[in-house]
Amino acid sequence: MGKPGATAPAPLTVIVQQLSGRDPLVERLAKPHIDRAKYPSFRENDDFDDAMRELIAGELRALEAQK
C-alpha cells in the first residue's frame, strides 16, 4: 500500500533516550504548555485565533449543510 510515512528511530537514539529518561512524545506534547508558561506574550492572541477558527469552521459547516 505504499511506503510508510514515518521511519523508526535509530537504535542508538532509542538507547540514549532511555538512558536520559526523556520521552520524545512527552517532550512534543509538553512543549506548547511549557512555551505558554515561559513566554506568555507569544500566546496573547490564542483566544482570538481560536475564535476565528471556530467562526470559519461554523461557516464551513453551514455551507456543507446547505448542500
Side-chain angles (χ1 to χ4, degrees), residues 2-49:
K3 293 183 178 182
T7 58
L12 180 59
T13 302
V14 173
I15 292 169
V16 169
Q17 289 170 348
Q18 288 174 340
L19 291 173
S20 70
R22 299 188 83 156
D23 182 340
L25 178 59
V26 172
E27 296 292 324
R28 248 181 291 153
L29 292 174
K31 183 166 178 23
H33 302 287
I34 293 168
D35 289 346
R36 184 172 298 190
K38 287 172 100 173
Y39 314 108
S41 63
F42 289 164
R43 305 302 226 160
E44 62 189 21
N45 291 326
D46 281 356
D47 292 338
F48 174 78
D49 294 351

